[in-house]
Structure formats: C-alpha cells, structure tokens
Amino acid sequence: MLNMADGLARLGALAENPVVRTLAEAFAAAGFDLAVVGGPVRDALLGRATHDLDFTTNAHPDDILKIVKPISTAHWDIGRAFGTIGARVQGEQVEITTYRADSYDGVTRKPTVEFGDTIDGDLIRRDFTVNAMALQVPAVKLIDPTGGVEDLVSGVLRTPTDPNVSFGDDPLRMLRAARFSAQLGFSIEQATEQAIERLRETLRIVSPERIQGELVRLMQTDDPVRGIRVLVDTRLIDEFLPEVSALRLEIDEHHHHKDVYEHSLTVLTQAIELEHARHPGEAPDVPLRIAALLHDIGKPRTRKLEDGGVVSFHHHDVVGARMARKRLQALRFDTETTDAVATLIELHLRFFGYAEGAWSDSAVRRYVRDAGDRLERLHILTRADVTTRNKRKATRLANAYDDIESRIAALREQEELDSIRPELDGNQIQQILGIKPGREVGEAYRFLLDVRLDEGVIGADAAEQRLRDWWALRQAQAPRG
C-alpha cells in the first residue's frame, strides 16, 4: 500500500535531482512554469525506479528551445509540431512539452494538437488519473486535479474525464489501460473497462505503428498475461491480434483437448520465468515472449475431430508460423522480430520427436542449424511449452531436454556447431568441378552441407572425393539431348 509520507519524501528527492533543479531554475529565471509530469511522479510516489524525465510548461516550443540551449549538450525539435522539445541535460535525456491536448477527428490516424493555458487543463486531458499528476518545481508542489493519489492507493486505473471522451480523444489509451494494468498490477475501474469494450472498434483509426509500440511495451512488463486478459475480456485484441482470442476453442462433451488459450498464457508465464532464470538482468526478450503467446495460433485452423474423442492439430506449427508472420507484418514489426517469431513457432514441436526417441548426431546438428542464432530462445520456448500436470511426464520431458542440450554442448566442443557449413566453399566447388557460378554450384553446396550434417567433419580431401562422386553420378543420370 502507498505510504504518503514516504511518497512525499520521494517527491522531494525527485525535485532535488540535479537535472530537475537545473531545468527548474532556468525556466523560473525566464518567467515560465515547469513541472515534472506523468510517469516519474507516479513512480516516485510508488517507490519505483524512474527512468525518463518528462516535463510540462506554459512556455511554447520557441521559448523552450531558447531556455534549454545554454544548459544542454544537445537538443532536438523533432516533436516541435506536437509541442515537444528534447534535450540532453547533464547526460540525461529529457522531454519538455507545452501544455496541450491531443485529439483525433475520428477519421484520420494522426492526432491533432492544441496548446493549452493551464497545467490543470493539460493534466485532465491525460490518459489515466495516476498519470495525471505533476510535481511543480522549484516550488515542490504536487498537482493532482483528478484524484490520482487516491487511485494509486486503491490500485485502480480510471480516466480523468468521462472514458467515452478520453478514449475518443485517443483510442490508443484503451490499449494503454491493458499495459498499465500489467505494469502496475492495477485493476481497471468498471466504467472505464466497459467503455473499452464499447469503443474497441475506434482503435481502427490508430496507426499500426502506434499499436505495435504499445503491444511491445505490454510484452516488456513482468506480467503481460494480466494485460492480455484485459485485451481478450474486452475484445479489444480482436482489432489487432484476433488470433489470440481465437485460441479459446470450444470443448464439447465428446471431444477433449486442453484449453489452448490458458495453455498459451501459461507458456508465456513460464517462458518469462525461464528467461529471468537463464539470463538474469537482461532486457525483456520481446520476440521470445510474442512467440510464446502465439505458438499455438495455428490450432484453430487445423483442428480436426478424430474417432475416440481425440482432437488433432496436425501441422499447426507450420500454419501458425505463416499466420504469425502475416500478422506481425501487418503491425509493422521489423523483419528480424518477424522472422524470429515465425521460426520459433515453426520449430517449437521439433523437440517432442526427440523425447519419443533419441536422435542421431545428424538430427541434433540439423536442429541447431535450423534454429540458428535463435537456438537459446527455442530452448526456452520448448521447455515452457510443457504445461502438463502429470509430474512423471513433465519430469521425462525435462530430462529429455537436459539431454539434448548436453548433446549440443558436447558436439559444440567437437565441431564448430554454431557455424555449420560444408568443408568446401563455393569457389572451391567451382574449381574442382570446372563450372561457373550458377544453380549447379548451389546444388553441390547443399549436397556437401547434407554430408556435413549427417556425418560431421570428414576432412577436405574426403569432401572433395564425395563431391566428385556426386558430380559423376549426376552427370551420368542427366538426360542426353
């Protein structure tokens, strides 16, 4: 629970931050108001670490630039049209924004900007009451016109004004509600949640890039599952990631399978736990987390009712990989993230063949080759995908994966497993066979790669002889004109 005495003490410490003091004194000397606003104030009251400093002021962009130039080592006005000036002050990046109110016209994807006259007016137009507080400096005065402190104490997310108006001003705020619910562990006030479900279709006017940014921020939280449940329960997720809610497959009395939606959320939770355990202190692995959430999205399309009350999902890994790629491209994810997620989904079932019967060294090499630099993510996803309550089965699968990781490590000691390639390169193939660059060189390369995967290192001389034998057989089998 929030202790106000401690919270106010932390606000005092925030006001004494060297960057805050420098800016406060500069703006006061120029005759303008300045306040730390939003997340830093909220986090200071909650005792959470503050990473970015955002300020609001009655100064307009031209005045802000004049004030920050003498006290900053760099400044930029890329957000000038929205009233925002960025600067680097004493080594820290800050953003300073004129009092404003963003709104959509209900048609275009870009917000319009109007500058305001008062800080209360600026705060009232923000997304949630817990983010609508400001610390005026250098006076060290908390400004809270919408009851943000009370909502912090209660652990509630509520819009400062009528949620219909607030979400109408910027529909992305509905997605932010899910993100802040996950980030802060707060519940969403009933009227606010009902408005999200009622207004969910208005999210369509928001650009895919902005939606993607909020989705990434949600996945970076310690408990994204909480936010995902909000998105699914309000059906907001159907506007940009409908494959997730589609996982809630009906189960009839004759055909049984595990709850795919709940299973996927469990896999995501377990993947995050493994991520923290195996790589403590590292930044959240967003591609891994998205793959964990989406790894079974191919199941609804491949679901088949079999005799004996069994439900099958043949090839849901391949189908799901294609679906994920298409969806992430629509959300404007970068190529690396899209490829990583699709690869992990396509490969996430491969291990279970190993658990049913030991693989040859060749199969292990191919597993490593196909995963490439995503192997560690695949290790985590595959382990997280075990959600059975059968302890004996869970132990067997865990031991099997321990075994495959040990075999990969042993092979890595013997061979350059992370960079498996033929023992002859393209230039050598051309020289040995007396051919020019083209399709035949690629076929020869793939033949030698298969030899390398199947048999390991055989040496350059043996590889050359195998290449010559393959080429001679190929020439003999070629049709004669």
Side-chain angles (χ1 to χ4, degrees), residues 353-386:
Y354 182 91
E356 294 168 1
W359 285 353
S360 64
D361 285 349
S362 171
V364 175
R365 293 188 192 98
R366 290 177 186 276
Y367 187 70
V368 173
R369 189 274 306 271
D370 292 346
D373 60 3
R374 292 142 191 165
L375 181 62
E376 172 59 12
R377 285 171 168 160
L378 185 58
H379 288 333
I380 293 175
L381 175 59
T382 304
R383 286 181 180 274
D385 197 21
V386 178

PDB file of all heavy atoms in Angstrom, residues 353-386:
ATOM      1  N   GLY A 353       9.729 -34.874 -30.889  1.00  0.00           N
ATOM      2  CA  GLY A 353      10.180 -36.086 -31.567  1.00  0.00           C
ATOM      3  C   GLY A 353      11.412 -36.675 -30.894  1.00  0.00           C
ATOM      4  O   GLY A 353      11.584 -37.897 -30.836  1.00  0.00           O
ATOM      5  N   TYR A 354      12.250 -35.801 -30.347  1.00  0.00           N
ATOM      6  CA  TYR A 354      13.437 -36.254 -29.631  1.00  0.00           C
ATOM      7  C   TYR A 354      13.025 -36.966 -28.342  1.00  0.00           C
ATOM      8  O   TYR A 354      13.613 -37.994 -27.966  1.00  0.00           O
ATOM      9  CB  TYR A 354      14.326 -35.056 -29.295  1.00  0.00           C
ATOM     10  CG  TYR A 354      15.620 -35.412 -28.596  1.00  0.00           C
ATOM     11  CD1 TYR A 354      16.764 -35.672 -29.334  1.00  0.00           C
ATOM     12  CD2 TYR A 354      15.699 -35.477 -27.204  1.00  0.00           C
ATOM     13  CE1 TYR A 354      17.958 -35.989 -28.699  1.00  0.00           C
ATOM     14  CE2 TYR A 354      16.880 -35.796 -26.568  1.00  0.00           C
ATOM     15  CZ  TYR A 354      18.011 -36.048 -27.315  1.00  0.00           C
ATOM     16  OH  TYR A 354      19.186 -36.372 -26.690  1.00  0.00           O
ATOM     17  N   ALA A 355      12.016 -36.425 -27.677  1.00  0.00           N
ATOM     18  CA  ALA A 355      11.580 -37.023 -26.416  1.00  0.00           C
ATOM     19  C   ALA A 355      11.018 -38.420 -26.614  1.00  0.00           C
ATOM     20  O   ALA A 355      11.041 -39.247 -25.704  1.00  0.00           O
ATOM     21  CB  ALA A 355      10.525 -36.130 -25.765  1.00  0.00           C
ATOM     22  N   GLU A 356      10.520 -38.690 -27.828  1.00  0.00           N
ATOM     23  CA  GLU A 356       9.934 -40.004 -28.104  1.00  0.00           C
ATOM     24  C   GLU A 356      10.977 -41.032 -28.525  1.00  0.00           C
ATOM     25  O   GLU A 356      10.722 -42.224 -28.524  1.00  0.00           O
ATOM     26  CB  GLU A 356       8.877 -39.857 -29.205  1.00  0.00           C
ATOM     27  CG  GLU A 356       7.672 -39.032 -28.750  1.00  0.00           C
ATOM     28  CD  GLU A 356       6.765 -38.647 -29.897  1.00  0.00           C
ATOM     29  OE1 GLU A 356       7.082 -39.058 -31.044  1.00  0.00           O
ATOM     30  OE2 GLU A 356       5.774 -37.940 -29.673  1.00  0.00           O
ATOM     31  N   GLY A 357      12.146 -40.573 -28.906  1.00  0.00           N
ATOM     32  CA  GLY A 357      13.209 -41.499 -29.315  1.00  0.00           C
ATOM     33  C   GLY A 357      14.479 -40.723 -29.591  1.00  0.00           C
ATOM     34  O   GLY A 357      14.439 -39.667 -30.229  1.00  0.00           O
ATOM     35  N   ALA A 358      15.611 -41.201 -29.092  1.00  0.00           N
ATOM     36  CA  ALA A 358      16.870 -40.467 -29.205  1.00  0.00           C
ATOM     37  C   ALA A 358      17.206 -40.159 -30.663  1.00  0.00           C
ATOM     38  O   ALA A 358      17.045 -40.993 -31.547  1.00  0.00           O
ATOM     39  CB  ALA A 358      17.999 -41.266 -28.562  1.00  0.00           C
ATOM     40  N   TRP A 359      17.686 -38.946 -30.893  1.00  0.00           N
ATOM     41  CA  TRP A 359      18.085 -38.520 -32.230  1.00  0.00           C
ATOM     42  C   TRP A 359      19.523 -38.950 -32.509  1.00  0.00           C
ATOM     43  O   TRP A 359      20.341 -39.106 -31.606  1.00  0.00           O
ATOM     44  CB  TRP A 359      18.020 -37.008 -32.344  1.00  0.00           C
ATOM     45  CG  TRP A 359      16.645 -36.439 -32.451  1.00  0.00           C
ATOM     46  CD1 TRP A 359      15.464 -37.111 -32.590  1.00  0.00           C
ATOM     47  CD2 TRP A 359      16.304 -35.050 -32.412  1.00  0.00           C
ATOM     48  NE1 TRP A 359      14.415 -36.244 -32.648  1.00  0.00           N
ATOM     49  CE2 TRP A 359      14.898 -34.964 -32.543  1.00  0.00           C
ATOM     50  CE3 TRP A 359      17.031 -33.877 -32.292  1.00  0.00           C
ATOM     51  CZ2 TRP A 359      14.221 -33.751 -32.552  1.00  0.00           C
ATOM     52  CZ3 TRP A 359      16.360 -32.665 -32.300  1.00  0.00           C
ATOM     53  CH2 TRP A 359      14.976 -32.612 -32.433  1.00  0.00           C
ATOM     54  N   SER A 360      19.828 -39.075 -33.791  1.00  0.00           N
ATOM     55  CA  SER A 360      21.216 -39.258 -34.210  1.00  0.00           C
ATOM     56  C   SER A 360      21.936 -37.921 -34.086  1.00  0.00           C
ATOM     57  O   SER A 360      21.308 -36.865 -33.950  1.00  0.00           O
ATOM     58  CB  SER A 360      21.265 -39.730 -35.658  1.00  0.00           C
ATOM     59  OG  SER A 360      20.737 -38.734 -36.514  1.00  0.00           O
ATOM     60  N   ASP A 361      23.260 -37.961 -34.150  1.00  0.00           N
ATOM     61  CA  ASP A 361      24.019 -36.711 -34.151  1.00  0.00           C
ATOM     62  C   ASP A 361      23.604 -35.836 -35.326  1.00  0.00           C
ATOM     63  O   ASP A 361      23.570 -34.602 -35.217  1.00  0.00           O
ATOM     64  CB  ASP A 361      25.519 -36.997 -34.229  1.00  0.00           C
ATOM     65  CG  ASP A 361      26.085 -37.499 -32.911  1.00  0.00           C
ATOM     66  OD1 ASP A 361      25.361 -37.436 -31.885  1.00  0.00           O
ATOM     67  OD2 ASP A 361      27.236 -37.950 -32.892  1.00  0.00           O
ATOM     68  N   SER A 362      23.280 -36.478 -36.439  1.00  0.00           N
ATOM     69  CA  SER A 362      22.836 -35.727 -37.611  1.00  0.00           C
ATOM     70  C   SER A 362      21.582 -34.928 -37.304  1.00  0.00           C
ATOM     71  O   SER A 362      21.466 -33.752 -37.674  1.00  0.00           O
ATOM     72  CB  SER A 362      22.565 -36.684 -38.775  1.00  0.00           C
ATOM     73  OG  SER A 362      21.934 -36.023 -39.851  1.00  0.00           O
ATOM     74  N   ALA A 363      20.614 -35.535 -36.618  1.00  0.00           N
ATOM     75  CA  ALA A 363      19.370 -34.845 -36.290  1.00  0.00           C
ATOM     76  C   ALA A 363      19.625 -33.677 -35.338  1.00  0.00           C
ATOM     77  O   ALA A 363      19.007 -32.610 -35.459  1.00  0.00           O
ATOM     78  CB  ALA A 363      18.379 -35.824 -35.672  1.00  0.00           C
ATOM     79  N   VAL A 364      20.547 -33.880 -34.391  1.00  0.00           N
ATOM     80  CA  VAL A 364      20.886 -32.801 -33.464  1.00  0.00           C
ATOM     81  C   VAL A 364      21.519 -31.641 -34.225  1.00  0.00           C
ATOM     82  O   VAL A 364      21.197 -30.466 -33.997  1.00  0.00           O
ATOM     83  CB  VAL A 364      21.820 -33.304 -32.355  1.00  0.00           C
ATOM     84  CG1 VAL A 364      22.261 -32.147 -31.461  1.00  0.00           C
ATOM     85  CG2 VAL A 364      21.127 -34.371 -31.512  1.00  0.00           C
ATOM     86  N   ARG A 365      22.419 -31.964 -35.157  1.00  0.00           N
ATOM     87  CA  ARG A 365      23.046 -30.896 -35.951  1.00  0.00           C
ATOM     88  C   ARG A 365      22.012 -30.117 -36.739  1.00  0.00           C
ATOM     89  O   ARG A 365      22.072 -28.889 -36.846  1.00  0.00           O
ATOM     90  CB  ARG A 365      24.084 -31.493 -36.908  1.00  0.00           C
ATOM     91  CG  ARG A 365      25.312 -32.102 -36.242  1.00  0.00           C
ATOM     92  CD  ARG A 365      26.345 -32.470 -37.292  1.00  0.00           C
ATOM     93  NE  ARG A 365      27.394 -33.302 -36.729  1.00  0.00           N
ATOM     94  CZ  ARG A 365      27.437 -34.634 -36.827  1.00  0.00           C
ATOM     95  NH1 ARG A 365      26.472 -35.274 -37.483  1.00  0.00           N
ATOM     96  NH2 ARG A 365      28.405 -35.312 -36.285  1.00  0.00           N
ATOM     97  N   ARG A 366      21.038 -30.818 -37.313  1.00  0.00           N
ATOM     98  CA  ARG A 366      20.006 -30.136 -38.102  1.00  0.00           C
ATOM     99  C   ARG A 366      19.127 -29.251 -37.208  1.00  0.00           C
ATOM    100  O   ARG A 366      18.691 -28.177 -37.623  1.00  0.00           O
ATOM    101  CB  ARG A 366      19.154 -31.170 -38.840  1.00  0.00           C
ATOM    102  CG  ARG A 366      19.905 -31.867 -39.961  1.00  0.00           C
ATOM    103  CD  ARG A 366      19.060 -32.947 -40.629  1.00  0.00           C
ATOM    104  NE  ARG A 366      19.842 -33.683 -41.593  1.00  0.00           N
ATOM    105  CZ  ARG A 366      20.053 -33.292 -42.855  1.00  0.00           C
ATOM    106  NH1 ARG A 366      19.497 -32.166 -43.292  1.00  0.00           N
ATOM    107  NH2 ARG A 366      20.801 -34.004 -43.676  1.00  0.00           N
ATOM    108  N   TYR A 367      18.874 -29.712 -36.017  1.00  0.00           N
ATOM    109  CA  TYR A 367      18.099 -28.918 -35.056  1.00  0.00           C
ATOM    110  C   TYR A 367      18.816 -27.597 -34.777  1.00  0.00           C
ATOM    111  O   TYR A 367      18.201 -26.519 -34.800  1.00  0.00           O
ATOM    112  CB  TYR A 367      17.948 -29.732 -33.771  1.00  0.00           C
ATOM    113  CG  TYR A 367      17.033 -29.147 -32.722  1.00  0.00           C
ATOM    114  CD1 TYR A 367      15.661 -29.109 -32.920  1.00  0.00           C
ATOM    115  CD2 TYR A 367      17.538 -28.673 -31.513  1.00  0.00           C
ATOM    116  CE1 TYR A 367      14.802 -28.606 -31.945  1.00  0.00           C
ATOM    117  CE2 TYR A 367      16.701 -28.167 -30.528  1.00  0.00           C
ATOM    118  CZ  TYR A 367      15.335 -28.142 -30.746  1.00  0.00           C
ATOM    119  OH  TYR A 367      14.497 -27.649 -29.782  1.00  0.00           O
ATOM    120  N   VAL A 368      20.110 -27.681 -34.556  1.00  0.00           N
ATOM    121  CA  VAL A 368      20.910 -26.484 -34.292  1.00  0.00           C
ATOM    122  C   VAL A 368      20.978 -25.608 -35.534  1.00  0.00           C
ATOM    123  O   VAL A 368      20.830 -24.382 -35.464  1.00  0.00           O
ATOM    124  CB  VAL A 368      22.333 -26.878 -33.830  1.00  0.00           C
ATOM    125  CG1 VAL A 368      23.214 -25.641 -33.709  1.00  0.00           C
ATOM    126  CG2 VAL A 368      22.265 -27.622 -32.505  1.00  0.00           C
ATOM    127  N   ARG A 369      21.176 -26.230 -36.688  1.00  0.00           N
ATOM    128  CA  ARG A 369      21.274 -25.478 -37.937  1.00  0.00           C
ATOM    129  C   ARG A 369      19.980 -24.734 -38.228  1.00  0.00           C
ATOM    130  O   ARG A 369      19.974 -23.555 -38.581  1.00  0.00           O
ATOM    131  CB  ARG A 369      21.603 -26.443 -39.079  1.00  0.00           C
ATOM    132  CG  ARG A 369      21.952 -25.797 -40.444  1.00  0.00           C
ATOM    133  CD  ARG A 369      20.737 -25.481 -41.301  1.00  0.00           C
ATOM    134  NE  ARG A 369      19.863 -26.604 -41.511  1.00  0.00           N
ATOM    135  CZ  ARG A 369      19.974 -27.487 -42.504  1.00  0.00           C
ATOM    136  NH1 ARG A 369      20.945 -27.386 -43.375  1.00  0.00           N
ATOM    137  NH2 ARG A 369      19.082 -28.481 -42.632  1.00  0.00           N
ATOM    138  N   ASP A 370      18.834 -25.396 -38.048  1.00  0.00           N
ATOM    139  CA  ASP A 370      17.550 -24.773 -38.365  1.00  0.00           C
ATOM    140  C   ASP A 370      17.211 -23.644 -37.400  1.00  0.00           C
ATOM    141  O   ASP A 370      16.590 -22.645 -37.789  1.00  0.00           O
ATOM    142  CB  ASP A 370      16.436 -25.820 -38.355  1.00  0.00           C
ATOM    143  CG  ASP A 370      16.563 -26.815 -39.505  1.00  0.00           C
ATOM    144  OD1 ASP A 370      17.331 -26.540 -40.444  1.00  0.00           O
ATOM    145  OD2 ASP A 370      15.903 -27.873 -39.450  1.00  0.00           O
ATOM    146  N   ALA A 371      17.612 -23.788 -36.147  1.00  0.00           N
ATOM    147  CA  ALA A 371      17.335 -22.738 -35.157  1.00  0.00           C
ATOM    148  C   ALA A 371      18.271 -21.556 -35.327  1.00  0.00           C
ATOM    149  O   ALA A 371      17.891 -20.408 -35.072  1.00  0.00           O
ATOM    150  CB  ALA A 371      17.455 -23.295 -33.742  1.00  0.00           C
ATOM    151  N   GLY A 372      19.500 -21.809 -35.769  1.00  0.00           N
ATOM    152  CA  GLY A 372      20.454 -20.731 -35.972  1.00  0.00           C
ATOM    153  C   GLY A 372      20.718 -19.963 -34.694  1.00  0.00           C
ATOM    154  O   GLY A 372      20.838 -20.537 -33.611  1.00  0.00           O
ATOM    155  N   ASP A 373      20.750 -18.625 -34.796  1.00  0.00           N
ATOM    156  CA  ASP A 373      21.038 -17.819 -33.616  1.00  0.00           C
ATOM    157  C   ASP A 373      19.823 -17.678 -32.701  1.00  0.00           C
ATOM    158  O   ASP A 373      19.871 -16.940 -31.713  1.00  0.00           O
ATOM    159  CB  ASP A 373      21.565 -16.439 -34.025  1.00  0.00           C
ATOM    160  CG  ASP A 373      20.581 -15.656 -34.882  1.00  0.00           C
ATOM    161  OD1 ASP A 373      19.459 -16.142 -35.122  1.00  0.00           O
ATOM    162  OD2 ASP A 373      20.955 -14.555 -35.336  1.00  0.00           O
ATOM    163  N   ARG A 374      18.740 -18.395 -33.025  1.00  0.00           N
ATOM    164  CA  ARG A 374      17.563 -18.389 -32.152  1.00  0.00           C
ATOM    165  C   ARG A 374      17.488 -19.648 -31.298  1.00  0.00           C
ATOM    166  O   ARG A 374      16.461 -19.943 -30.694  1.00  0.00           O
ATOM    167  CB  ARG A 374      16.294 -18.258 -32.999  1.00  0.00           C
ATOM    168  CG  ARG A 374      16.187 -16.882 -33.654  1.00  0.00           C
ATOM    169  CD  ARG A 374      15.626 -16.933 -35.028  1.00  0.00           C
ATOM    170  NE  ARG A 374      15.785 -15.637 -35.686  1.00  0.00           N
ATOM    171  CZ  ARG A 374      15.652 -15.448 -36.984  1.00  0.00           C
ATOM    172  NH1 ARG A 374      15.372 -16.479 -37.770  1.00  0.00           N
ATOM    173  NH2 ARG A 374      15.815 -14.259 -37.520  1.00  0.00           N
ATOM    174  N   LEU A 375      18.569 -20.406 -31.227  1.00  0.00           N
ATOM    175  CA  LEU A 375      18.561 -21.678 -30.516  1.00  0.00           C
ATOM    176  C   LEU A 375      18.231 -21.503 -29.034  1.00  0.00           C
ATOM    177  O   LEU A 375      17.433 -22.255 -28.475  1.00  0.00           O
ATOM    178  CB  LEU A 375      19.905 -22.379 -30.676  1.00  0.00           C
ATOM    179  CG  LEU A 375      20.034 -23.742 -29.987  1.00  0.00           C
ATOM    180  CD1 LEU A 375      19.021 -24.734 -30.567  1.00  0.00           C
ATOM    181  CD2 LEU A 375      21.457 -24.292 -30.133  1.00  0.00           C
ATOM    182  N   GLU A 376      18.839 -20.518 -28.380  1.00  0.00           N
ATOM    183  CA  GLU A 376      18.577 -20.330 -26.952  1.00  0.00           C
ATOM    184  C   GLU A 376      17.109 -19.974 -26.720  1.00  0.00           C
ATOM    185  O   GLU A 376      16.486 -20.451 -25.767  1.00  0.00           O
ATOM    186  CB  GLU A 376      19.488 -19.239 -26.390  1.00  0.00           C
ATOM    187  CG  GLU A 376      19.189 -18.817 -24.948  1.00  0.00           C
ATOM    188  CD  GLU A 376      19.288 -19.942 -23.929  1.00  0.00           C
ATOM    189  OE1 GLU A 376      19.814 -21.028 -24.271  1.00  0.00           O
ATOM    190  OE2 GLU A 376      18.845 -19.743 -22.784  1.00  0.00           O
ATOM    191  N   ARG A 377      16.550 -19.152 -27.578  1.00  0.00           N
ATOM    192  CA  ARG A 377      15.120 -18.841 -27.462  1.00  0.00           C
ATOM    193  C   ARG A 377      14.286 -20.106 -27.653  1.00  0.00           C
ATOM    194  O   ARG A 377      13.279 -20.311 -26.975  1.00  0.00           O
ATOM    195  CB  ARG A 377      14.725 -17.801 -28.515  1.00  0.00           C
ATOM    196  CG  ARG A 377      15.186 -16.383 -28.202  1.00  0.00           C
ATOM    197  CD  ARG A 377      14.951 -15.498 -29.392  1.00  0.00           C
ATOM    198  NE  ARG A 377      15.115 -14.084 -29.069  1.00  0.00           N
ATOM    199  CZ  ARG A 377      15.340 -13.137 -29.980  1.00  0.00           C
ATOM    200  NH1 ARG A 377      15.421 -13.472 -31.261  1.00  0.00           N
ATOM    201  NH2 ARG A 377      15.473 -11.884 -29.620  1.00  0.00           N
ATOM    202  N   LEU A 378      14.698 -20.961 -28.593  1.00  0.00           N
ATOM    203  CA  LEU A 378      13.962 -22.203 -28.822  1.00  0.00           C
ATOM    204  C   LEU A 378      14.061 -23.121 -27.611  1.00  0.00           C
ATOM    205  O   LEU A 378      13.076 -23.784 -27.252  1.00  0.00           O
ATOM    206  CB  LEU A 378      14.504 -22.902 -30.074  1.00  0.00           C
ATOM    207  CG  LEU A 378      13.753 -24.165 -30.514  1.00  0.00           C
ATOM    208  CD1 LEU A 378      12.280 -23.857 -30.786  1.00  0.00           C
ATOM    209  CD2 LEU A 378      14.408 -24.765 -31.754  1.00  0.00           C
ATOM    210  N   HIS A 379      15.228 -23.166 -26.974  1.00  0.00           N
ATOM    211  CA  HIS A 379      15.361 -23.934 -25.730  1.00  0.00           C
ATOM    212  C   HIS A 379      14.311 -23.480 -24.715  1.00  0.00           C
ATOM    213  O   HIS A 379      13.621 -24.302 -24.090  1.00  0.00           O
ATOM    214  CB  HIS A 379      16.750 -23.717 -25.113  1.00  0.00           C
ATOM    215  CG  HIS A 379      17.871 -24.392 -25.848  1.00  0.00           C
ATOM    216  ND1 HIS A 379      17.700 -25.520 -26.605  1.00  0.00           N
ATOM    217  CD2 HIS A 379      19.203 -24.093 -25.912  1.00  0.00           C
ATOM    218  CE1 HIS A 379      18.872 -25.884 -27.113  1.00  0.00           C
ATOM    219  NE2 HIS A 379      19.791 -25.040 -26.698  1.00  0.00           N
ATOM    220  N   ILE A 380      14.213 -22.166 -24.519  1.00  0.00           N
ATOM    221  CA  ILE A 380      13.289 -21.629 -23.514  1.00  0.00           C
ATOM    222  C   ILE A 380      11.845 -21.906 -23.898  1.00  0.00           C
ATOM    223  O   ILE A 380      11.034 -22.356 -23.077  1.00  0.00           O
ATOM    224  CB  ILE A 380      13.530 -20.120 -23.326  1.00  0.00           C
ATOM    225  CG1 ILE A 380      14.911 -19.880 -22.703  1.00  0.00           C
ATOM    226  CG2 ILE A 380      12.435 -19.496 -22.455  1.00  0.00           C
ATOM    227  CD1 ILE A 380      15.296 -18.418 -22.581  1.00  0.00           C
ATOM    228  N   LEU A 381      11.493 -21.636 -25.161  1.00  0.00           N
ATOM    229  CA  LEU A 381      10.111 -21.834 -25.599  1.00  0.00           C
ATOM    230  C   LEU A 381       9.702 -23.294 -25.469  1.00  0.00           C
ATOM    231  O   LEU A 381       8.593 -23.595 -24.991  1.00  0.00           O
ATOM    232  CB  LEU A 381       9.952 -21.369 -27.051  1.00  0.00           C
ATOM    233  CG  LEU A 381       8.575 -21.626 -27.680  1.00  0.00           C
ATOM    234  CD1 LEU A 381       7.477 -20.926 -26.887  1.00  0.00           C
ATOM    235  CD2 LEU A 381       8.558 -21.165 -29.136  1.00  0.00           C
ATOM    236  N   THR A 382      10.564 -24.206 -25.872  1.00  0.00           N
ATOM    237  CA  THR A 382      10.223 -25.619 -25.825  1.00  0.00           C
ATOM    238  C   THR A 382      10.044 -26.103 -24.393  1.00  0.00           C
ATOM    239  O   THR A 382       9.122 -26.859 -24.081  1.00  0.00           O
ATOM    240  CB  THR A 382      11.305 -26.447 -26.535  1.00  0.00           C
ATOM    241  OG1 THR A 382      11.454 -25.967 -27.870  1.00  0.00           O
ATOM    242  CG2 THR A 382      10.921 -27.907 -26.582  1.00  0.00           C
ATOM    243  N   ARG A 383      10.923 -25.675 -23.503  1.00  0.00           N
ATOM    244  CA  ARG A 383      10.768 -26.046 -22.093  1.00  0.00           C
ATOM    245  C   ARG A 383       9.485 -25.442 -21.509  1.00  0.00           C
ATOM    246  O   ARG A 383       8.763 -26.084 -20.742  1.00  0.00           O
ATOM    247  CB  ARG A 383      11.983 -25.569 -21.289  1.00  0.00           C
ATOM    248  CG  ARG A 383      13.253 -26.387 -21.529  1.00  0.00           C
ATOM    249  CD  ARG A 383      14.391 -25.865 -20.670  1.00  0.00           C
ATOM    250  NE  ARG A 383      15.629 -26.594 -20.840  1.00  0.00           N
ATOM    251  CZ  ARG A 383      15.964 -27.696 -20.180  1.00  0.00           C
ATOM    252  NH1 ARG A 383      15.113 -28.224 -19.311  1.00  0.00           N
ATOM    253  NH2 ARG A 383      17.134 -28.271 -20.384  1.00  0.00           N
ATOM    254  N   ALA A 384       9.190 -24.187 -21.884  1.00  0.00           N
ATOM    255  CA  ALA A 384       7.995 -23.525 -21.360  1.00  0.00           C
ATOM    256  C   ALA A 384       6.718 -24.163 -21.883  1.00  0.00           C
ATOM    257  O   ALA A 384       5.661 -24.047 -21.252  1.00  0.00           O
ATOM    258  CB  ALA A 384       8.021 -22.040 -21.730  1.00  0.00           C
ATOM    259  N   ASP A 385       6.803 -24.842 -23.016  1.00  0.00           N
ATOM    260  CA  ASP A 385       5.620 -25.432 -23.650  1.00  0.00           C
ATOM    261  C   ASP A 385       5.129 -26.683 -22.923  1.00  0.00           C
ATOM    262  O   ASP A 385       4.116 -27.263 -23.295  1.00  0.00           O
ATOM    263  CB  ASP A 385       5.934 -25.764 -25.117  1.00  0.00           C
ATOM    264  CG  ASP A 385       4.689 -25.993 -25.949  1.00  0.00           C
ATOM    265  OD1 ASP A 385       3.612 -25.524 -25.544  1.00  0.00           O
ATOM    266  OD2 ASP A 385       4.790 -26.646 -27.002  1.00  0.00           O
ATOM    267  N   VAL A 386       5.838 -27.108 -21.913  1.00  0.00           N
ATOM    268  CA  VAL A 386       5.418 -28.268 -21.111  1.00  0.00           C
ATOM    269  C   VAL A 386       4.570 -27.759 -19.957  1.00  0.00           C
ATOM    270  O   VAL A 386       5.079 -27.183 -18.988  1.00  0.00           O
ATOM    271  CB  VAL A 386       6.630 -29.055 -20.587  1.00  0.00           C
ATOM    272  CG1 VAL A 386       6.168 -30.217 -19.718  1.00  0.00           C
ATOM    273  CG2 VAL A 386       7.486 -29.558 -21.744  1.00  0.00           C
TER     274      VAL A 386
END
